[in-house]
Amino acid sequence: MLLNGKATFAGSLLLCFVQFINIYAAPNQITTDSSNAVEELPCSSSGVCLTAECVRSAAYILDSVDPTQDPCHDFYRYACGGWVAKNEHRTGANQLYYAANVNQIPDLVNQEIKVLLQRKRKVSQAFYVSSSYRQLFDFYDSCMNTEAIEQNGSAKAFEWLKKLKEFQVGRAFNADKWNLTAALISLMRVNSAPLFDISLDVDPSNPKHWAVVISVPRQYGLEASLMHRLRQHVIPASFTRRLKKSDTTLQAMIRMILDRTRPANENKVPGSIDKKSEDEEAAYPSDDSHESGEAVDRFTSEKNYEKTPAMVESVSTSPSLSGETTSQDLEEMDPKQSSSEQDEGEEESNAVLSQMENEAHENLTAAVAESLANYFLLNLNDSLPDWLQDLVDQPIPRSDMYKILTEEVATERKLELLSNLGDSLTEWEQEEVFTAACPEAGAGMDEAMQLLDRSFIGPVEKIVPSKREVLVAEQADSIYNAYTLHTLISHKINNPKIPHLTGIQWHYLITSLLGDNFQPNNTIYVYFPEHLSNLSDLLQTTEPWLQHWGLIGFYINDMIHELISVEDRENREKKCIEVTKTVLGEAVTHLYLQHVGQERIRYIKQQFEEILAWVKPTLAESLRAAAWLSDAERAAALRKLASVGSVAGASDFHWDTTHAESLMRNLTIQKNDFFSNAMELYSAFRKLLFGLYAKPVDHQNFIWELTTQPFVVNAFFVQTSNLMVFPEAFFRTPYFHTAAPDVLNFATVATAISHELFHAFELSGLNFNHEGVKDQTNKLSGLEARLRNVSACYHSSLVDSFEEVVRMQLNNVQLSIDNVTVNENLADIFSIRNSLWSYEKLRVHKRQKQNALFSLPSLNITDDQLFFLSAAQPYCSVLPPLAKIILMELDEHLPNDIR
């Protein structure tokens, strides 16, 4: 995949290729637009392109560079320094990072869709009078009706549950009437998958048919949970939680020094545990910092910390991870302490410090060191002891910092889930329904919640594979674990590769969703067998009332995040656009394409095919010249290359209104009931998905209906279809230029095509033949060992040449490149080379034909220099330290600047 992240050593390659680039004065920025008009290149006497698009492209390039940088020293800062300076303000509490390819282009597309959904731009009148499309507008309006959403709160979610016989909401729980499988079926039918998900995918062993997939739970169907939490909330670096991870004796010593150094008139230090409610806090944590808006922006904090220079520097470079460090907290922790009070505990404190110094390097974890260092700087307004400063300065591995972040996000999410569940219950339901179900004698609401957390919520979340584990499995091509229903339920626990699935009626569950077309011997792919086995073990030992209320808790929490929580208007608009695109993609696509126009789609396809006609033969030449390929392997590779298909822009059926209308015909959308609308659309989507199982695979429809839409800014390769996909929205500045010199689109579009073509031949792609069948015996599989050696060589060179340390709070974090990016790194290296060679062939061809090669106005650079500059600028990004850490853990691409 090209876009959803970033990726590579291509940045280093650009440094190798680019020599000296001199750009003179940069004009003021000219805003790009999505004009549908296609201009002809005017032939000026100087060979300079003078179309409006060429002027915009030149202005964009000039505005994005930083001419004060030496491109041979730091090509990224040279190519993107101006762009970064103009977009630094865009990151913050609601935006983890900001990139041209991931944010700038999608924002432009979303702005166009917003204008259309708000009926501020007219298209075909027939479109607006269609009853089906009036429902599209009504759905968007219902999402924007925040007053009605806030008024209903979570009541709508409980109303829906009360309609289901599978859940016992509003009445006493009866274990004899509880059926876990039936409850899971009812949730999956409305797109909720709290324990695991069941969906369909093209069978990699038989791409003409569908296969059932059992995958990890979906947390928040419309947004990735971790990224959602990082964008929307402060990450609490709980001081006491970190202390609990360290040695007990050391805890006591730290507690002693904090007791001796804190002001006498303060009752407790930040993060200390008071007797009131260690248990109560666990069940119902205080979240005042979030609600009051006082939470520190951990990305681009503007709060003024008038403390030591070290503290000011650390906060300004990378805001706090700690939920305690608000401006109000700093005032409370800046005591006016008399010198006598300070002297009283000095001797004893020094003794404790000495004792801690002796044990520090042996026992003190980096996380505890950071918390302790925080206290020194905030409370004592003093420099750190040398031993603590040395420990803090030691770089923490990126993976360790990520674990700290995700552990705290997971803890906060779990506590929030319990809180949301408790808040959703009326006082009567708390006492007579929820608490009454708890078998522990005399248990109150707190005790019942803690038991639910300890016995079900916590264990369920603990066994779910992390996003990092999912990424590693995907890149290692180890998610396609094929079983049949018979092997899954036969309890062959002596074979560790076969999960033992008890506690759920699997045949009943799958046939209820897919119908009688599913047979016990049909293929089922289990992405993470160990997760399913662990889940079965847990369900066997979990009481029915815990399963019941645990599922309700997961459901309520997801619905609050997806459908009930209300943001400010700007963020609400963004959310409603994304929700509408997700659940009514076909209707939005038709509306969007009416705005884009068929002329633009035809132009995109024409330009794409012309570029592809140069890129594919260039790759074929490389394959023919590769001495390390046997004749049989070369023939198989060339056959697969010739078979690679492509779709660009949109499909012909997108222009047919009857297709989108048929999907909406039986829907009932209410203008003032967003929750009910969303639930109906969720149900319609799952019905459509599961209904496909009885039909043969239509790869084009699979791509455009279930994988992407023309308004999505992305490009990707589908191995089971042997197909490259480039939606219309990809073809925007800085990726695509209409009526502009060839060099611009060869630097970007040809590079993207080459990148996706390489995925047919990388370590994972080699397992699929020219028909998209996963076949370990195909002629290309013999290349794997040699390709691994080549990959290891490139990867080692990249890792050895990469060194970057970022500052997070008081810690230095050592960034590192690991193996999950290997495929994308190689695709980037190959793509920049293949696209350059393709362009060089085009350039020679045009010169032979005496065709003009145009340049852009106001750019005093060579054609080759313009190629590399254009190739780089789609990856311009504002990447705060936290963003880099998260992206390097969760993305198969490297961050854009490294790429």
Side-chain angles (χ1 to χ4, degrees), residues 178-188 193-198 214-215 217 456 460 463 485-486 488-491 499-513 524 531-542 547 551:
W178 170 244
N179 186 318
L180 173 62
T181 305
L184 291 173
I185 292 170
S186 66
L187 291 176
M188 287 184 182
L195 301 185
F196 56 86
D197 197 8
I198 290 185
I214 303 178
S215 58
F456 189 71
V460 164
I463 64 176
L485 186 61
H486 175 74
L488 286 178
I489 62 178
S490 60
H491 310 302
H500 52 290
L501 303 184
T502 54
I504 294 174
Q505 300 161 280
W506 288 97
H507 186 270
Y508 168 47
L509 186 148
I510 294 176
T511 54
S512 294
L513 297 174
I524 299 174
H531 165 246
L532 229 49
S533 290
N534 292 335
L535 180 62
S536 293
D537 290 341
L538 175 63
L539 294 176
Q540 284 295 299
T541 59
T542 304
Q547 296 175 3
L551 291 184

Side-chain angles (χ1 to χ4, degrees), residues 9-188:
F9 187 23
S12 301
L13 287 176
L14 290 173
L15 284 173
C16 298
F17 281 106
V18 177
Q19 300 300 318
F20 297 94
I21 301 178
N22 290 311
I23 292 183
Y24 299 121
N28 293 331
Q29 184 176 15
I30 300 177
T31 304
T32 60
D33 64 25
S34 60
S35 173
N36 301 337
V38 179
E39 304 174 76
E40 296 295 328
L41 287 176
C43 182
S44 69
S45 58
S46 61
V48 176
C49 171
L50 300 177
T51 65
E53 178 67 18
C54 285
V55 173
R56 283 193 292 268
S57 297
Y60 183 93
I61 291 171
L62 288 167
D63 228 25
S64 297
V65 300
D66 180 355
T68 67
Q69 297 291 325
D70 180 358
C72 292
H73 174 67
D74 191 332
F75 184 67
Y76 174 75
R77 287 184 181 274
Y78 173 79
C80 295
W83 189 95
V84 170
K86 292 174 178 64
N87 290 282
E88 282 179 316
H89 67 283
R90 297 184 184 277
T91 59
N94 292 317
Q95 188 71 54
L96 181 63
Y97 65 98
Y98 191 82
N101 58 347
V102 179
N103 305 99
Q104 176 181 294
I105 306 176
D107 285 352
L108 174 64
V109 173
N110 281 344
Q111 179 63 26
E112 295 174 11
I113 292 175
K114 182 182 82 170
V115 170
L116 293 168
L117 289 174
Q118 294 178 351
R119 283 82 80 196
K120 293 180 180 178
R121 181 175 296 166
K122 291 288 186 183
V123 287
S124 167
Q125 186 61 30
F127 182 88
Y128 285 105
V129 299
S130 163
S131 60
S132 295
Y133 287 95
R134 282 203 303 270
Q135 293 189 80
L136 167 65
F137 301 130
D138 287 346
F139 177 81
Y140 176 79
D141 291 344
S142 73
C143 182
M144 289 298 298
N145 189 346
T146 56
E147 183 178 347
I149 295 171
E150 286 182 316
Q151 183 177 356
N152 291 325
S154 59
K156 282 284 183 180
F158 264 91
E159 281 180 21
W160 180 81
L161 284 175
K162 288 177 180 178
K163 297 176 183 177
L164 301 177
K165 62 181 180 181
E166 293 83 3
F167 288 95
Q168 303 174 37
V169 177
R171 60 185 186 272
F173 179 77
N174 185 340
D176 293 335
K177 294 183 178 180
W178 170 244
N179 186 318
L180 173 62
T181 305
L184 291 173
I185 292 170
S186 66
L187 291 176
M188 287 184 182

Side-chain angles (χ1 to χ4, degrees), residues 200-218:
L200 300 182
D201 199 354
V202 176
D203 189 341
S205 298
N206 187 359
K208 295 181 179 180
H209 296 278
W210 298 100
V212 178
V213 171
I214 303 178
S215 58
V216 297
R218 281 189 330 96

Side-chain angles (χ1 to χ4, degrees), residues 477-495:
D477 196 28
S478 61
I479 60 173
Y480 290 112
N481 302 288
Y483 303 94
T484 65
L485 186 61
H486 175 74
T487 57
L488 286 178
I489 62 178
S490 60
H491 310 302
K492 295 181 180 179
I493 56 177
N494 58 315
N495 185 344

Side-chain angles (χ1 to χ4, degrees), residues 258-275:
L258 295 181
D259 286 342
R260 293 300 182 183
T261 55
R262 74 185 184 197
N265 62 344
E266 284 194 359
N267 294 325
K268 62 175 184 175
V269 298
S272 62
I273 306 174
D274 59 32
K275 277 308 185 186

